[in-house]
Amino acid sequence: SNHQSWADIFVLQKVFNHRIPFLKFFLKKDLIWVPFIGICWWALDFPFMRRYSKAFLQKYPQYKGKDLEITKKSCLKFKFTPVSVMNFLEGTRFQPSKHKSQNSPYKFLLKPKSGGMAYALNVMGDKIKSMVDVTIYYQDLPGNEISFWNFMSGKIKKIYIHTQIREIPEELKQGDYENDPVFRAKFQNWINQIWQEKDQLLEKFQQESMNEQFS
């Protein structure tokens, strides 16, 4: 799924409740300190990931790959119980400043990070049957920021959600993403194609939202 707000987690839980196995998210380590919710995520065994900056890894190279090790350990647990593994491939919430600093080729999206998903598929193997591709769009309203607070206080009046079942190419379920440049390029090309389609869909939602507001 694309990622615009903390509200995404609640929206996805609502939409998919009783429709697919229980959702578990890859979460940033810092989110464990969110009051009440953080301890719930910990109790439900959500996988927490610590991301290291390039500068940090240059200074402490021994930490390279540690976040992906956590991904592997978390996914091994998922082999023994029905679960839906949720991943925000952008790695962070969309913000105009981040979009600009990345020089993202997409209009409504940050660049996707494919490594975590590639490792999850590698560890889970044939246990993962398909992918639910989700696109979320919050209706643009003048003066209303897309934020968790505005979501909880009812200021966001409409949310567009598009879901699509995608088959995962067999050749992308197994491969060495970190050390095989050919496999990594194939995997990234697959994700980038999905991201282009998602970007077009978000543009369509924006146009529908604007037409609705001014009609």
Side-chain angles (χ1 to χ4, degrees), residues 20-170:
I20 62 175
F22 186 72
L23 280 172
K24 291 196 176 184
F25 295 78
F26 289 103
L27 299 169
K28 293 180 181 178
K29 186 75 173 179
D30 297 344
L31 292 179
I32 200 171
W33 303 112
V34 175
F36 305 112
I37 301 173
I39 196 68
C40 290
W41 287 331
W42 173 81
L44 290 169
D45 204 21
F46 278 39
F48 286 91
M49 298 183 68
R50 182 187 297 276
R51 291 190 175 89
Y52 302 103
S53 66
K54 290 183 179 179
F56 181 88
L57 291 175
Q58 287 176 351
K59 189 173 182 180
Y60 304 100
Q62 66 271 26
Y63 287 95
K64 185 178 180 180
K66 288 290 184 181
D67 55 344
L68 294 175
E69 286 181 21
I70 295 172
T71 304
K72 285 187 175 183
K73 289 179 181 178
S74 298
C75 289
L76 285 173
K77 297 178 184 178
F78 299 158
K79 279 191 173 184
F80 308 104
T81 182
V83 67
S84 300
V85 184
M86 186 66 214
N87 198 351
F88 295 117
L89 294 189
E90 292 163 294
T92 184
R93 288 167 290 163
F94 179 93
Q95 291 178 349
S97 58
K98 296 176 184 177
H99 184 264
K100 184 177 180 180
S101 66
Q102 278 192 357
N103 193 26
S104 174
Y106 309 101
K107 186 175 180 180
F108 299 95
L109 299 162
L110 301 179
K111 294 178 181 179
K113 299 177 180 179
S114 307
M117 181 175 173
Y119 272 78
L121 290 174
N122 183 274
V123 173
M124 299 292 284
D126 60 356
K127 297 294 182 182
I128 295 182
K129 302 299 182 183
S130 58
M131 178 175 69
V132 183
D133 179 10
V134 185
T135 304
I136 303 178
Y137 179 82
Y138 296 87
Q139 187 177 57
D140 286 330
L141 296 176
N144 273 2
E145 180 187 358
I146 300 172
S147 68
F148 179 69
W149 175 251
N150 281 340
F151 168 75
M152 294 296 290
S153 59
K155 293 182 179 179
I156 296 176
K157 301 297 183 182
K158 187 171 184 177
I159 304 172
Y160 296 78
I161 300 175
H162 179 272
T163 63
Q164 178 180 352
I165 304 296
R166 292 183 182 270
E167 295 302 318
I168 302 169
E170 288 296 325

Side-chain angles (χ1 to χ4, degrees), residues 184-210:
R184 182 167 60 248
K186 286 182 179 179
F187 199 95
Q188 289 176 345
N189 287 339
W190 178 58
I191 295 297
N192 289 338
Q193 182 179 351
I194 293 173
W195 235 236
Q196 288 173 4
E197 294 176 17
K198 190 180 295 290
D199 205 42
Q200 293 170 1
L201 187 58
L202 287 166
E203 185 168 28
K204 177 184 176 183
F205 285 158
Q206 184 192 58
Q207 189 61 50
E208 289 180 7
S209 176
M210 292 175 64

